[in-house]
Every structure is written in C-alpha cells, then in structure tokens.
Amino acid sequence: MESELRFRSELERGIRDGIPRGEFIPYYEKQVDLDTGELTGFEMLARWNNPTHGLLSPEIFIPIAEEIGLISELSESLIRHALSDAREWDPRLSLSVNISPLQLRDPWFAQKLLKLLVEANFPPHRLDIEITETCLHENIGVVRTLITSLKNQGIRISLDDFGTGYSSLAQLRTLPFDQIKIDRFFVSSLGTSSDSATIIEAISSLGKGMNLPITAEGIESQEVLTAIRKFGSFKGQGFLYGQPSDSDGVRSILAERSLLATIAEPDAAPSVDELPFRPVPRVASA
Ligand code: C2E
Ligand code: MG
Ligand code: MG
C-alpha cells in the first residue's frame, strides 16, 4: 500500500511538472472509409513521455489528471499540439479529439476550444470532438447546450464507445450527434460472439434510421474487417491499419501518400475578435 501511494503521488507530481515540460504528446490513429479503404483522418490519443517510466497510456494518467484538477490544462496543451500537427495534413483529413466529461462541465469549454482553433488557424469543420456516454449520464442540459454551441461553430461531435455506457435512446434522439462510434469490445469479438454481431446489427439499423454515420473501433484483423463490412457502410479504425504513431510517423505516412498540405489554408477560422467570449449558460439537468 505504501509503495502504491508513493507511486500515485509520484504520478501526480509528474503530471503537474510534465505539462509545462511538454511531456504529454499526441499520438494518432488512422480513421478509414471501410468501403474504399481511403484515409479520412486521425484520432488523437494522448501519451505521456515519462522520463522514468517511458511512454504511458492515457488510461493511467487521464483519471489522475481529472482527479487533481489538471485535465483541462493537459487536454488544451495536447489539442494545441494536435491542431498544429494537423495543419500540415491534407485539408480533407479530419482530426478527432477525446474530451473528458469534466471538461464538458466547464462553462467556458466552447470558448477555450474556439480560441485554440483561432490560434492555430484551423477550420472548425475538420475537428471532431469525441465524447463518451458517461458525459450524458449527468448534466444532460449543460451537455446539450455545449454540443449545440460547438456545432454552431461547425465542429462535429461523435458519441464514443457506444454500447458500453448508460446512454438512452431518447438522448441519442435529442442530442445532435454527427456520428456514433461502436466500442471496440463488440467489434473485436465479432468472430467469436454472436451477441456482438446482434448488437452491431442493431447499432447499424439505428445509424441508418437516424441518418448517423458509424465508425467501428478496434478492427484488428482482415476477418473482422470482412465481417463488419457486411453490416453496412462504416468508417473504421484499429490495429489492422497500424499502431497509433507520433507526429513524425504521421508525416511520413502522409508524405508517402502525397497527403501533406501543399500550402497553408487561408484564414479558415474566425479571428479572435469575432469570438463570442461568453460562457455557456448553466442549465438545469434534464
Ligand atoms: P478511445 O477514444 O476509445 O480510443 C481508442 C483506444 O483503443 C486507444 O487506446 C487505441 O489505442 C485503442 N485501440 C485502437 N484500435 C485498437 C485495436 O484494434 N485493438 C485494440 N486492442 N485496441 C485498439 P488508448 O490510446 O490507450 O486510449 C484509451 C482511452 O483513453 C481512449 O479510448 C480515450 O477514451 C482516452 N483518451 C485518449 N486520449 C485522450 C485525451 O486526450 N483526453 C481524454 N479525456 N481521454 C483520452
Ligand atoms: Mg475516442
Ligand atoms: Mg472509443
């Protein structure tokens, strides 16, 4: 217990010191159109380049950053880095970022995000925010206002890890999502579990009925890819397309495919002066 506590406080101190030192870096996973095999964008996945322990997974440090109140600062530094990387990519490629439920409770979140977009001169329509079902479970009114505000700026919103949390179908209907992501748990077990196939079939019908595009996460093999394509026209991601890589890795991938931006896009984001610097009003939970 004592050594666990020592490790935990070492991580806390490490996060505090590591943010200004730039130890938290974005890795990127390819997102692909499963019908054509075309690369459509990347999901940014946080990594901690820890001086003692090497590259650490977000599952270790995100919950701690949330608990010690540093998640916004950490996330903002990662998004800033990712927007700057993505400016070098072909403008048809999108950038997806994961957002903690705690950030969605921040009434200034939309404004902070828009400021980052303006600073990077990054067009909002290329940014996709991924939120998990946990966000919907509490403060649905605040989340609805925030999502609407982000969408009004042209940012897209995806519901991540669908099927593993507590979202109700009513919430799916009333919140203006642009996309659903099927959790990798269902996708990777497609070959071995008939329950997973039934669930994916149901999510696919839901997507078709509600006109919501679907991304399948966790495609690890050709067999799973073949199986998932039978359910409809999905986008997908997973280790079949390669492990997540850092910004240099992405640049090499894109250079090989002639998908690096040729010239910087002209002023795609609004200017700082045009930003509505108002917090999202607090609304009672529905
Ligand atoms: P997620 O958003 O669902 O991201 C997908 C996770 O699945 C990533 O793990 C990715 O490396 C892993 N993955 C992708 N394809 C495959 C596959 O084919 N097989 C297997 N076994 N795994 C695959 P990672 O990078 O460890 O991220 C875990 C979670 O941490 C993410 O789940 C996301 O919820 C969270 N996360 C990552 N970056 C951030 C961030 O910047 N902010 C916040 N708040 N959360 C983040
Ligand atoms: Mg995600
Ligand atoms: Mg996910």
Side-chain angles (χ1 to χ4, degrees):
M1 259 177 81
E2 198 186 309
S3 79
E4 250 177 49
L5 278 176
R6 210 174 311 120
F7 184 53
R8 161 79 194 211
S9 73
E10 185 199 325
L11 289 181
E12 286 184 11
R13 204 174 37 251
I15 294 174
R16 242 177 262 286
D17 297 343
I19 299 174
R21 285 193 203 139
E23 288 172 8
F24 293 88
I25 48 171
Y27 265 54
Y28 300 97
E29 178 168 296
K30 288 183 203 141
Q31 296 181 316
V32 174
D33 178 324
L34 297 185
D35 283 341
T36 61
E38 192 193 341
L39 182 68
T40 59
F42 291 90
E43 175 175 2
M44 189 269 278
L45 297 163
R47 297 288 181 269
W48 183 3
N49 203 353
N50 183 284
T52 319
H53 304 286
L55 212 56
L56 295 183
S57 142
E59 273 156 2
I60 297 177
F61 61 82
I62 295 281
I64 303 178
E66 287 176 339
E67 276 175 46
I68 62 175
L70 287 178
I71 188 65
S72 290
E73 202 181 318
L74 175 58
S75 176
E76 274 172 46
S77 78
L78 283 160
I79 295 175
R80 187 174 291 115
H81 194 151
L83 291 173
S84 152
D85 287 342
R87 284 274 291 153
E88 293 183 14
W89 309 343
D90 185 295
R92 285 167 298 178
L93 298 173
S94 60
L95 169 69
S96 299
V97 298
N98 295 284
I99 293 298
S100 152
L102 293 185
Q103 287 173 278
L104 290 189
R105 282 194 219 147
D106 174 0
W108 288 96
F109 176 73
Q111 279 65 32
K112 287 179 184 167
L113 194 59
L114 289 171
K115 189 158 178 282
L116 289 174
L117 286 169
V118 169
E119 281 168 5
N121 193 20
F122 192 84
H125 70 265
R126 286 181 62 195
L127 183 68
D128 193 317
I129 294 292
E130 297 193 2
I131 66 175
T132 57
E133 291 176 292
T134 337
C135 301
L136 310 179
H137 162 58
E138 31 186 281
N139 291 327
I140 186 77
V142 175
V143 174
R144 186 181 292 119
T145 313
L146 184 63
I147 290 181
T148 309
S149 156
L150 294 175
K151 280 189 62 99
N152 287 342
Q153 303 295 331
I155 297 167
R156 282 173 296 145
I157 316 285
S158 297
L159 182 54
D160 201 0
D161 303 342
F162 186 68
T164 55
Y166 302 94
S167 72
S168 75
L169 296 177
Q171 283 164 353
L172 201 56
R173 190 171 63 83
T174 56
L175 290 168
F177 290 110
D178 295 291
Q179 178 181 223
I180 303 175
K181 297 186 73 174
I182 310 179
D183 192 75
R184 72 169 191 263
F185 173 80
F186 302 115
V187 177
S188 51
S189 56
L190 196 52
T192 50
S193 155
S194 62
D195 289 352
S196 293
T198 309
I199 289 170
I200 293 178
E201 170 107 65
I203 299 177
S204 167
S205 313
L206 198 65
K208 279 185 202 129
M210 297 180 67
N211 209 12
L212 274 176
I214 292 176
T215 294
E217 299 184 307
I219 302 174
E220 289 183 354
S221 65
Q222 192 59 48
E223 291 72 44
V224 168
L225 173 63
T226 308
I228 198 94
R229 288 188 59 194
K230 295 193 180 125
F231 292 98
S233 291
F234 293 175
K235 278 207 289 179
Q237 53 188 96
F239 296 168
L240 177 65
Y241 299 100
Q243 293 284 329
S245 43
D246 64 8
S247 53
D248 288 344
V250 169
R251 204 174 298 117
S252 317
I253 293 168
L254 296 180
E256 267 170 32
R257 301 177 184 204
S258 305
L259 281 174
L260 284 173
T262 40
I263 38 159
E265 278 183 89
D267 291 331
S271 76
V272 177
D273 297 335
E274 284 165 2
L275 286 182
F277 282 107
R278 285 188 311 275
V280 171
R282 287 258 175 227
V283 208
S285 298

